[in-house]
Amino acid sequence: MSASVSLPLLKRIPPGLWTALAWLSAAVEPIVEYVVMPPGPTYSLNFPRGGLDSLGARALLALAFVLVLAGSAVLRRTTSPAYALVLAGTVASTVAWRQDEIPPLQFLAVDVALCYIAAVRPRRNSLTAAAGALGVLTCYSILRLLTGDDSGIAPEPFLALTVAIAWLIGNSVHQARAHTEELYARAAAQAVTAERLRIAREMHDTVAHSIGIIALQAGAAARVVETQPARAREAMLTVEKAGRETLSGLRRMLGALRQADQDQEGPGQDHGRAVASLQSAAGLSDVERLATTAMAAGVRVEVCWQGRRRPLPADIDLAAFRIVQESVTNAVRHSGADSCLVLVDYRADELAVEVSDRGKGGGTSTDSGYGLIGMRERAALLHGDFTAGPRPGGGFLVAVRLPLPATTEAGAR
């Protein structure tokens, strides 16, 4: 069971906090240097000492702080409106200082927010956000041309390049994330298909065994029908019981498998291995043997039986054992626990199985969680309920409930 991995510190910091820190670092520094601190030998044309003397300029700068902080706070929940607030706060700050251009460091917050939007939102939204930033920069360029201010190098082309870079980085993250999700979905689908093929092969072996029993009992009945009618009748009753159980299991299994459109197996399958596979087929009767094997691997497995033990349909018996086997194997390999509890409860209308441990793992046979997918698929094909997850007091719990046919209880009486 794979241990949970904590995210790096940089990824644990919310994107809104990065945006706020970038903007505040650029907005607070000129206030401290050119307004709060005593006059010094240096001066700035962009941040004049008397720039914030008027009450209107101070109110506008305060509004800029409110807009940017509000946008940063809700950036993860409402990306587009939050981005608009950050961009509007940046413009309001330049107006408060009576600037005709946006300082590059202060515009860095807009780039951070744009990068996040491109990473988590659809491409149409991110392109709209990038167009908004480029539109603001274009307006500043036009304003500079109209006022005839040609002092220095215009920063707008440089800022437009940072907008493009921020969008490209965020879009690359978005594409990588989408590709990873697609690969995981494809691998999960392949795991489900592989589990269904495995179930189909096991069902094939079970049916082959039942048909073998039917053929043997029918032949025995034909030989003694005239001399030993009682034995012939007993043999035919065995044939009837085996046939009904096999048909019932086939209806349950094939009814679920039919929904998957996975009705073809690879060519050249060796049907002669059915008997050999049957000899190695397992059921809940082999749970004790599984516990012994796990104990040899260093994990003590305690098996607790509840309810009246009785014969189960082959498909339910085999599915329950496979879930127990997978869960115990996970506990041995990944949990780090020294003990494991297997609870098998024979109820009137269902079979309940729980496998729990006190380890510190995550509960999958692989880091991708395909072991859980296989167990869940087995339970779903039998119309059962499957749950798996960490326990409140530590460790991991796998629980499954498989409904039993009404004939199971009646036949056991």
Side-chain angles (χ1 to χ4, degrees):
M1 301 182 183
S2 57
S4 58
V5 180
S6 60
L7 292 175
L9 178 60
L10 295 180
K11 292 185 177 181
R12 280 184 285 173
I13 298 178
L17 183 57
W18 284 117
T19 303
L21 291 176
W23 196 89
L24 290 175
S25 61
V28 173
E29 191 273 335
I31 298 177
V32 174
E33 183 175 358
Y34 298 108
V35 178
V36 178
M37 299 296 293
T42 61
Y43 65 93
S44 172
L45 297 177
N46 290 329
F47 302 100
R49 292 194 174 275
L52 297 180
D53 288 345
S54 65
L55 183 60
R58 296 179 182 181
L60 190 58
L61 185 61
L63 177 62
F65 274 86
V66 172
L67 292 176
V68 173
L69 293 179
S72 301
V74 298
L75 182 60
R76 178 171 287 179
R77 295 192 299 270
T78 56
T79 53
S80 297
Y83 176 78
L85 290 177
V86 174
L87 189 58
T90 303
V91 174
S93 175
T94 60
V95 175
W97 282 101
R98 300 194 300 272
Q99 296 170 311
D100 56 0
E101 62 184 37
I102 300 179
L105 289 180
Q106 198 159 4
F107 201 77
L108 179 61
V110 178
D111 293 335
V112 172
L114 175 62
C115 183
Y116 174 72
I117 292 177
V120 300
R121 299 292 295 167
R123 182 171 295 179
R124 178 183 300 179
N125 297 66
S126 62
L127 287 176
T128 302
L134 294 177
V136 170
L137 295 176
T138 302
C139 291
Y140 271 94
S141 297
I142 295 175
L143 179 63
R144 289 166 60 87
L145 292 176
L146 293 178
T147 58
D149 184 4
D150 56 354
S151 60
I153 300 176
E156 285 78 19
F158 168 74
L159 294 180
L161 180 60
T162 63
V163 170
I165 294 175
W167 184 87
L168 289 174
I169 294 175
N171 187 63
S172 298
V173 174
H174 181 84
Q175 290 180 338
R177 184 177 301 171
H179 182 63
T180 301
E181 293 177 354
E182 180 183 356
L183 290 180
Y184 180 79
R186 188 180 304 172
Q190 292 176 352
V192 170
T193 301
E195 189 66 21
R196 293 191 175 197
L197 291 177
R198 182 183 178 188
I199 294 171
R201 293 188 186 99
E202 292 172 349
M203 197 66 195
H204 168 270
D205 297 340
T206 302
V207 172
H209 173 62
S210 300
I211 292 177
I213 292 178
I214 291 173
L216 290 175
Q217 294 293 337
R223 287 192 294 271
V224 300
V225 65
E226 296 181 356
T227 59
Q228 302 180 38
R231 289 189 57 187
R233 182 176 181 276
E234 181 181 353
M236 295 309 298
L237 289 176
T238 302
V239 169
E240 180 186 10
K241 180 181 179 182
R244 289 182 182 277
E245 291 181 353
T246 302
L247 287 176
S248 178
L250 279 175
R251 288 193 186 99
R252 288 193 302 269
M253 189 63 63
L254 296 181
L257 287 174
R258 191 175 290 115
Q259 304 174 2
D261 195 24
Q262 297 287 344
D263 55 351
Q264 292 184 352
E265 291 190 6
Q269 183 179 358
D270 184 8
H271 294 281
R273 60 183 177 147
V275 176
S277 299
L278 174 66
Q279 294 175 352
S280 61
L284 288 177
S285 58
D286 292 320
V287 170
E288 302 288 352
R289 177 176 57 84
L290 178 65
T292 303
T293 304
M295 188 174 298
V299 176
R300 180 176 58 85
V301 178
E302 179 183 354
V303 182
C304 180
W305 304 91
Q306 294 183 355
R308 182 170 58 85
R309 297 179 64 177
R310 57 188 184 274
L312 300 173
D315 53 345
I316 296 178
D317 191 28
L318 182 58
F321 174 78
R322 292 303 186 199
I323 291 174
V324 172
Q325 184 183 44
E326 180 76 16
S327 302
V328 171
T329 302
N330 293 345
V332 171
R333 292 180 177 177
H334 307 288
S335 72
D338 56 359
S339 64
C340 177
L341 174 63
V342 177
L343 174 63
V344 183
D345 187 3
Y346 288 80
R347 300 174 182 173
D349 56 349
E350 66 180 9
L351 176 71
V353 177
E354 292 185 359
V355 182
S356 59
D357 62 67
R358 290 288 182 179
K360 51 187 177 180
T364 61
S365 59
T366 67
D367 290 339
S368 302
Y370 303 135
L372 293 181
I373 292 176
M375 290 187 282
R376 182 175 289 107
E377 183 67 17
R378 282 187 178 271
L381 290 176
L382 295 173
H383 306 287
D385 295 328
F386 176 85
T387 57
R391 302 174 62 186
F396 201 84
L397 172 66
V398 174
V400 62
R401 293 188 295 110
L402 303 176
L404 296 177
T407 55
T408 303
E409 179 67 22
R413 294 175 181 173

mmCIF file of all heavy atoms in Angstrom, residues 372-396:
data_model
loop_
_atom_site.group_PDB
_atom_site.id
_atom_site.type_symbol
_atom_site.label_atom_id
_atom_site.label_comp_id
_atom_site.label_asym_id
_atom_site.label_seq_id
_atom_site.Cartn_x
_atom_site.Cartn_y
_atom_site.Cartn_z
ATOM 1 N N LEU A 372 -7.172 -1.737 -6.666
ATOM 2 C CA LEU A 372 -8.509 -1.362 -6.209
ATOM 3 C C LEU A 372 -9.508 -1.375 -7.355
ATOM 4 O O LEU A 372 -10.668 -1.741 -7.178
ATOM 5 C CB LEU A 372 -8.477 0.027 -5.569
ATOM 6 C CG LEU A 372 -7.699 0.157 -4.258
ATOM 7 C CD1 LEU A 372 -7.775 1.578 -3.743
ATOM 8 C CD2 LEU A 372 -8.226 -0.805 -3.217
ATOM 9 N N ILE A 373 -9.076 -0.973 -8.537
ATOM 10 C CA ILE A 373 -9.968 -0.994 -9.694
ATOM 11 C C ILE A 373 -10.415 -2.419 -9.992
ATOM 12 O O ILE A 373 -11.599 -2.670 -10.267
ATOM 13 C CB ILE A 373 -9.266 -0.374 -10.917
ATOM 14 C CG1 ILE A 373 -9.043 1.125 -10.697
ATOM 15 C CG2 ILE A 373 -10.084 -0.600 -12.185
ATOM 16 C CD1 ILE A 373 -8.273 1.795 -11.804
ATOM 17 N N GLY A 374 -9.480 -3.373 -9.935
ATOM 18 C CA GLY A 374 -9.833 -4.765 -10.193
ATOM 19 C C GLY A 374 -10.811 -5.309 -9.172
ATOM 20 O O GLY A 374 -11.785 -5.992 -9.514
ATOM 21 N N MET A 375 -10.567 -5.011 -7.882
ATOM 22 C CA MET A 375 -11.486 -5.495 -6.850
ATOM 23 C C MET A 375 -12.866 -4.864 -6.998
ATOM 24 O O MET A 375 -13.889 -5.533 -6.849
ATOM 25 C CB MET A 375 -10.899 -5.211 -5.466
ATOM 26 C CG MET A 375 -9.685 -6.061 -5.122
ATOM 27 S SD MET A 375 -9.143 -5.847 -3.403
ATOM 28 C CE MET A 375 -8.285 -4.283 -3.506
ATOM 29 N N ARG A 376 -12.893 -3.586 -7.295
ATOM 30 C CA ARG A 376 -14.179 -2.910 -7.465
ATOM 31 C C ARG A 376 -14.927 -3.481 -8.665
ATOM 32 O O ARG A 376 -16.156 -3.612 -8.641
ATOM 33 C CB ARG A 376 -13.956 -1.415 -7.634
ATOM 34 C CG ARG A 376 -15.233 -0.618 -7.775
ATOM 35 C CD ARG A 376 -14.982 0.883 -7.821
ATOM 36 N NE ARG A 376 -14.573 1.392 -6.518
ATOM 37 C CZ ARG A 376 -13.361 1.777 -6.214
ATOM 38 N NH1 ARG A 376 -12.398 1.691 -7.123
ATOM 39 N NH2 ARG A 376 -13.067 2.236 -5.010
ATOM 40 N N GLU A 377 -14.204 -3.838 -9.711
ATOM 41 C CA GLU A 377 -14.840 -4.409 -10.892
ATOM 42 C C GLU A 377 -15.449 -5.775 -10.589
ATOM 43 O O GLU A 377 -16.556 -6.083 -11.033
ATOM 44 C CB GLU A 377 -13.812 -4.520 -12.026
ATOM 45 C CG GLU A 377 -14.370 -5.039 -13.335
ATOM 46 C CD GLU A 377 -15.357 -4.062 -13.965
ATOM 47 O OE1 GLU A 377 -15.372 -2.881 -13.571
ATOM 48 O OE2 GLU A 377 -16.118 -4.492 -14.852
ATOM 49 N N ARG A 378 -14.743 -6.582 -9.817
ATOM 50 C CA ARG A 378 -15.293 -7.889 -9.440
ATOM 51 C C ARG A 378 -16.590 -7.727 -8.650
ATOM 52 O O ARG A 378 -17.569 -8.444 -8.891
ATOM 53 C CB ARG A 378 -14.267 -8.668 -8.609
ATOM 54 C CG ARG A 378 -13.162 -9.306 -9.428
ATOM 55 C CD ARG A 378 -12.291 -10.187 -8.554
ATOM 56 N NE ARG A 378 -11.259 -10.836 -9.339
ATOM 57 C CZ ARG A 378 -11.416 -12.003 -9.945
ATOM 58 N NH1 ARG A 378 -12.564 -12.645 -9.827
ATOM 59 N NH2 ARG A 378 -10.440 -12.544 -10.640
ATOM 60 N N ALA A 379 -16.590 -6.808 -7.710
ATOM 61 C CA ALA A 379 -17.798 -6.594 -6.917
ATOM 62 C C ALA A 379 -18.937 -6.048 -7.773
ATOM 63 O O ALA A 379 -20.097 -6.458 -7.623
ATOM 64 C CB ALA A 379 -17.499 -5.650 -5.755
ATOM 65 N N ALA A 380 -18.619 -5.135 -8.701
ATOM 66 C CA ALA A 380 -19.663 -4.545 -9.537
ATOM 67 C C ALA A 380 -20.293 -5.576 -10.458
ATOM 68 O O ALA A 380 -21.509 -5.538 -10.695
ATOM 69 C CB ALA A 380 -19.081 -3.382 -10.349
ATOM 70 N N LEU A 381 -19.496 -6.508 -10.989
ATOM 71 C CA LEU A 381 -20.038 -7.530 -11.884
ATOM 72 C C LEU A 381 -21.009 -8.458 -11.162
ATOM 73 O O LEU A 381 -21.866 -9.073 -11.804
ATOM 74 C CB LEU A 381 -18.899 -8.342 -12.502
ATOM 75 C CG LEU A 381 -18.041 -7.597 -13.526
ATOM 76 C CD1 LEU A 381 -16.897 -8.471 -14.003
ATOM 77 C CD2 LEU A 381 -18.885 -7.148 -14.709
ATOM 78 N N LEU A 382 -20.885 -8.573 -9.861
ATOM 79 C CA LEU A 382 -21.804 -9.396 -9.073
ATOM 80 C C LEU A 382 -22.845 -8.542 -8.353
ATOM 81 O O LEU A 382 -23.486 -9.000 -7.409
ATOM 82 C CB LEU A 382 -21.015 -10.233 -8.057
ATOM 83 C CG LEU A 382 -20.071 -11.272 -8.672
ATOM 84 C CD1 LEU A 382 -19.224 -11.929 -7.602
ATOM 85 C CD2 LEU A 382 -20.860 -12.316 -9.444
ATOM 86 N N HIS A 383 -22.970 -7.275 -8.778
ATOM 87 C CA HIS A 383 -23.948 -6.334 -8.215
ATOM 88 C C HIS A 383 -23.725 -6.116 -6.710
ATOM 89 O O HIS A 383 -24.678 -5.967 -5.946
ATOM 90 C CB HIS A 383 -25.374 -6.835 -8.459
ATOM 91 C CG HIS A 383 -25.667 -7.143 -9.897
ATOM 92 N ND1 HIS A 383 -25.833 -6.166 -10.852
ATOM 93 C CD2 HIS A 383 -25.783 -8.339 -10.549
ATOM 94 C CE1 HIS A 383 -26.063 -6.736 -12.024
ATOM 95 N NE2 HIS A 383 -26.034 -8.046 -11.871
ATOM 96 N N GLY A 384 -22.468 -6.100 -6.298
ATOM 97 C CA GLY A 384 -22.128 -5.883 -4.905
ATOM 98 C C GLY A 384 -21.662 -4.466 -4.648
ATOM 99 O O GLY A 384 -21.528 -3.646 -5.563
ATOM 100 N N ASP A 385 -21.408 -4.187 -3.389
ATOM 101 C CA ASP A 385 -20.908 -2.876 -2.954
ATOM 102 C C ASP A 385 -19.465 -3.024 -2.493
ATOM 103 O O ASP A 385 -19.142 -3.934 -1.717
ATOM 104 C CB ASP A 385 -21.762 -2.317 -1.809
ATOM 105 C CG ASP A 385 -23.184 -2.033 -2.256
ATOM 106 O OD1 ASP A 385 -23.358 -1.687 -3.435
ATOM 107 O OD2 ASP A 385 -24.111 -2.175 -1.432
ATOM 108 N N PHE A 386 -18.610 -2.109 -2.947
ATOM 109 C CA PHE A 386 -17.181 -2.163 -2.621
ATOM 110 C C PHE A 386 -16.746 -0.804 -2.114
ATOM 111 O O PHE A 386 -17.047 0.226 -2.723
ATOM 112 C CB PHE A 386 -16.365 -2.551 -3.855
ATOM 113 C CG PHE A 386 -14.873 -2.539 -3.622
ATOM 114 C CD1 PHE A 386 -14.236 -3.639 -3.092
ATOM 115 C CD2 PHE A 386 -14.119 -1.410 -3.923
ATOM 116 C CE1 PHE A 386 -12.869 -3.628 -2.878
ATOM 117 C CE2 PHE A 386 -12.761 -1.389 -3.710
ATOM 118 C CZ PHE A 386 -12.139 -2.509 -3.188
ATOM 119 N N THR A 387 -16.052 -0.798 -0.994
ATOM 120 C CA THR A 387 -15.468 0.423 -0.453
ATOM 121 C C THR A 387 -14.048 0.124 -0.003
ATOM 122 O O THR A 387 -13.759 -0.983 0.468
ATOM 123 C CB THR A 387 -16.278 0.972 0.747
ATOM 124 O OG1 THR A 387 -16.358 -0.041 1.758
ATOM 125 C CG2 THR A 387 -17.678 1.378 0.316
ATOM 126 N N ALA A 388 -13.191 1.124 -0.124
ATOM 127 C CA ALA A 388 -11.801 0.977 0.307
ATOM 128 C C ALA A 388 -11.262 2.358 0.634
ATOM 129 O O ALA A 388 -11.534 3.325 -0.085
ATOM 130 C CB ALA A 388 -10.947 0.309 -0.768
ATOM 131 N N GLY A 389 -10.495 2.446 1.716
ATOM 132 C CA GLY A 389 -9.925 3.732 2.089
ATOM 133 C C GLY A 389 -9.247 3.663 3.439
ATOM 134 O O GLY A 389 -9.336 2.656 4.153
ATOM 135 N N PRO A 390 -8.566 4.730 3.815
ATOM 136 C CA PRO A 390 -7.891 4.770 5.120
ATOM 137 C C PRO A 390 -8.901 4.699 6.258
ATOM 138 O O PRO A 390 -10.012 5.213 6.158
ATOM 139 C CB PRO A 390 -7.161 6.121 5.096
ATOM 140 C CG PRO A 390 -7.095 6.511 3.656
ATOM 141 C CD PRO A 390 -8.298 5.931 3.015
ATOM 142 N N ARG A 391 -8.489 4.082 7.352
ATOM 143 C CA ARG A 391 -9.331 3.998 8.540
ATOM 144 C C ARG A 391 -9.110 5.228 9.414
ATOM 145 O O ARG A 391 -8.018 5.813 9.427
ATOM 146 C CB ARG A 391 -8.998 2.728 9.325
ATOM 147 C CG ARG A 391 -9.176 1.464 8.530
ATOM 148 C CD ARG A 391 -8.687 0.255 9.295
ATOM 149 N NE ARG A 391 -9.439 0.058 10.536
ATOM 150 C CZ ARG A 391 -9.134 -0.856 11.430
ATOM 151 N NH1 ARG A 391 -8.074 -1.647 11.247
ATOM 152 N NH2 ARG A 391 -9.863 -0.986 12.510
ATOM 153 N N PRO A 392 -10.138 5.655 10.151
ATOM 154 C CA PRO A 392 -9.975 6.853 11.005
ATOM 155 C C PRO A 392 -8.848 6.717 12.017
ATOM 156 O O PRO A 392 -8.135 7.673 12.295
ATOM 157 C CB PRO A 392 -11.341 6.962 11.703
ATOM 158 C CG PRO A 392 -12.296 6.265 10.789
ATOM 159 C CD PRO A 392 -11.518 5.139 10.169
ATOM 160 N N GLY A 393 -8.671 5.514 12.574
ATOM 161 C CA GLY A 393 -7.624 5.331 13.569
ATOM 162 C C GLY A 393 -6.284 4.914 12.993
ATOM 163 O O GLY A 393 -5.370 4.562 13.743
ATOM 164 N N GLY A 394 -6.146 4.946 11.669
ATOM 165 C CA GLY A 394 -4.906 4.517 11.034
ATOM 166 C C GLY A 394 -5.093 3.181 10.357
ATOM 167 O O GLY A 394 -5.927 2.350 10.738
ATOM 168 N N GLY A 395 -4.332 2.944 9.332
ATOM 169 C CA GLY A 395 -4.443 1.709 8.596
ATOM 170 C C GLY A 395 -5.376 1.852 7.407
ATOM 171 O O GLY A 395 -5.766 2.951 7.009
ATOM 172 N N PHE A 396 -5.732 0.689 6.820
ATOM 173 C CA PHE A 396 -6.529 0.680 5.599
ATOM 174 C C PHE A 396 -7.592 -0.396 5.712
ATOM 175 O O PHE A 396 -7.373 -1.441 6.330
ATOM 176 C CB PHE A 396 -5.634 0.406 4.378
ATOM 177 C CG PHE A 396 -6.231 0.860 3.083
ATOM 178 C CD1 PHE A 396 -6.104 2.165 2.663
ATOM 179 C CD2 PHE A 396 -6.916 -0.033 2.264
ATOM 180 C CE1 PHE A 396 -6.656 2.586 1.469
ATOM 181 C CE2 PHE A 396 -7.466 0.382 1.072
ATOM 182 C CZ PHE A 396 -7.329 1.700 0.663
#
